[in-house]
Amino acid sequence: AYFKREQVTFTCQPDAFDKYIWGDRMIEFCFCTTCGCLTHYEDVEKEPGSRVALNANMLPPEQVHDHPLRLFDGAVSSKVIE
């Protein structure tokens, strides 16, 4: 799930995730320090309006199940996430 930076708030313990940067050093990949799953990634430069990608599989179902899916081609799916 993609959001603008100002639309996202992380509520977790300070050491709940760690980051790594590779390649062109433009994106921080963040992962859970307990299970190792990717939680999100974002630009290294934290600019207003920059994009944050959340791994929606890591969110509680009640936070996402009523939201329609917007596919990359702009279409809207009637499928509900369960």
Side-chain angles (χ1 to χ4, degrees):
Y2 296 97
F3 300 91
K4 290 182 181 177
R5 182 166 179 69
E6 55 271 12
Q7 294 175 299
V8 178
T9 302
F10 295 100
T11 53
C12 60
Q13 298 296 320
D15 60 348
F17 64 85
D18 205 352
K19 301 175 183 180
Y20 68 93
I21 303 170
W22 59 279
D24 59 7
R25 308 198 60 78
M26 302 280 294
I27 299 174
E28 292 178 339
F29 294 89
C30 303
F31 60 93
C32 174
T33 55
T34 300
C35 70
C37 290
L38 178 76
T39 57
H40 65 286
Y41 62 87
E42 60 183 317
D43 293 335
V44 171
E45 299 294 325
K46 310 295 190 272
E47 301 290 330
S50 64
R51 185 178 291 186
V52 175
L54 296 178
N55 180 355
N57 290 314
M58 301 292 287
L59 297 172
E62 62 274 7
Q63 290 187 349
V64 294
H65 78 282
D66 287 334
H67 295 280
L69 300 176
R70 187 170 55 111
L71 306 177
F72 282 106
D73 64 3
V76 176
S77 172
S78 61
K79 179 180 178 185
V80 174
I81 302 171
E82 296 182 24

